[in-house]
Amino acid sequence: MPDPAIVLSDVDLSLGRGAARVHVLRGISLAVARGEAVGLVGPSGSGKSTLLMVMAGLERPDSGTIAVEGTDLGGLDEDALARFRGRRIGIVFQAFHLVPTMTALENVALPLELADKPEALARARAELEAVGLGHRLHHYPAQLSGGEQQRVAIARAVAPDPAILVADEPTGNLDEATGRQIVDLLFALKRDRGATLVLVTHDAGLARLCDRTVRLRSGLVEAPVAA
Ligand SMILES: Nc1ncnc2c1ncn2[C@@H]1O[C@H](COP(=O)(O)OP(=O)(O)O)[C@@H](O)[C@H]1O
Ligand SMILES: [Mg+2]
């Protein structure tokens, strides 16, 4: 692969303590090209969410390496890793994870402020308008529908213009029609910004929209399947 966005080499990770300790990732090697959309699929408990967190720099492996856009995440201390994440990686969760005490506008402005981007509020407003929420700027998460909350979360994830967008079952908490709108939005943003997209999904239709599917089973990559 000439110009990979993400390269994992022999990533191994166990989580939990004592009897609850689980060998979650058992030697995962995987490369994702720049601009590629990869669907991570596999049974519940196979390690999809954990793998996504490792790719996003939110979880460190016990061994193995992760390079994102040529930067070895293992070489960054916690502060540097947090800065790198804030600027280069956008993350969308199934349960939205908005700050409940902040308005939609404040939620989207937050990562821009943390990344020292100028005009954070103006940019946040533009991002919310781009996801069709220009009329909900001052609503709090509890005052928004599930689909609207996920739009805010997506606007927040893409606002710093990350090279990489990861999404963990982004439609898992939404009805089918709303889920489809969110998927269309994610792929449109990916296309417009040339970002790399890695998403976990149970939805075969969503997986088919990806350039490639990677199937996990018990912490191992089962077989890369061409779309
Ligand atoms: N913090 C943790 N402590 C112990 N076990 C964990 C922890 N996080 C995840 N696991 C276990 O690791 C396995 C993979 O979890 P996960 O990555 O969430 O799978 P998936 O997203 O594919 O459903 C599961 O068996 C889960 O119970
Ligand atoms: Mg999961």
Side-chain angles (χ1 to χ4, degrees):
M1 194 174 286
D3 192 17
I6 308 171
V7 182
L8 288 90
S9 302
D10 215 15
V11 166
D12 215 271
L13 176 62
S14 295
L15 291 171
R17 289 170 191 283
R21 194 153 176 84
V22 178
H23 197 176
V24 185
L25 302 178
R26 300 190 292 154
I28 298 221
S29 297
L30 184 66
V32 179
R34 283 188 203 222
E36 193 178 21
V38 172
L40 268 183
V41 300
S44 177
S46 57
K48 304 181 298 296
S49 293
T50 307
L51 182 59
L52 208 65
M53 292 303 104
V54 166
M55 284 184 185
L58 284 168
E59 191 81 68
R60 290 190 190 264
D62 297 330
S63 62
T65 59
I66 301 114
V68 174
E69 300 259 303
T71 298
D72 174 11
L73 299 190
L76 304 179
D77 65 22
E78 290 308 314
D79 284 350
L81 182 58
R83 269 199 307 279
F84 184 81
R85 257 197 330 260
R87 292 197 164 91
R88 308 302 291 152
I89 305 172
I91 309 173
V92 176
F93 299 94
Q94 176 175 351
F96 322 134
H97 289 207
L98 298 174
V99 180
T101 55
M102 290 185 170
T103 64
L105 187 65
E106 290 164 348
N107 266 282
V108 178
L110 185 61
L112 296 170
E113 285 160 358
L114 293 175
D116 289 324
K117 303 267 186 186
E119 310 283 349
L121 281 175
R123 288 183 57 158
R125 173 192 288 266
E127 295 290 354
L128 282 163
E129 283 167 355
V131 300
L133 285 181
H135 60 309
R136 293 284 185 271
L137 300 178
H138 306 294
H139 281 55
Y140 289 89
Q143 299 170 322
L144 298 169
S145 71
E148 288 173 337
Q149 289 184 61
Q150 194 60 302
R151 280 169 191 272
V152 175
I154 289 171
R156 176 181 62 178
V158 300
D161 246 330
I164 297 182
L165 200 51
V166 304
D168 194 351
E169 303 193 36
T171 61
N173 279 358
L174 305 173
D175 65 62
E176 207 179 315
T178 308
R180 203 167 316 120
Q181 291 169 5
I182 290 295
V183 167
D184 290 346
L185 176 63
L186 264 180
F187 276 84
L189 289 170
K190 177 214 168 289
R191 200 176 47 238
D192 294 350
R193 297 171 187 236
T196 303
L197 176 64
V198 181
L199 61 87
V200 171
T201 185
H202 283 300
D203 178 343
L206 176 46
R208 268 196 299 277
L209 291 175
C210 297
D211 300 309
R212 177 160 63 106
T213 302
V214 172
R215 183 171 298 277
L216 287 192
R217 178 173 292 276
S218 304
L220 293 165
V221 174
E222 196 170 58
V225 180

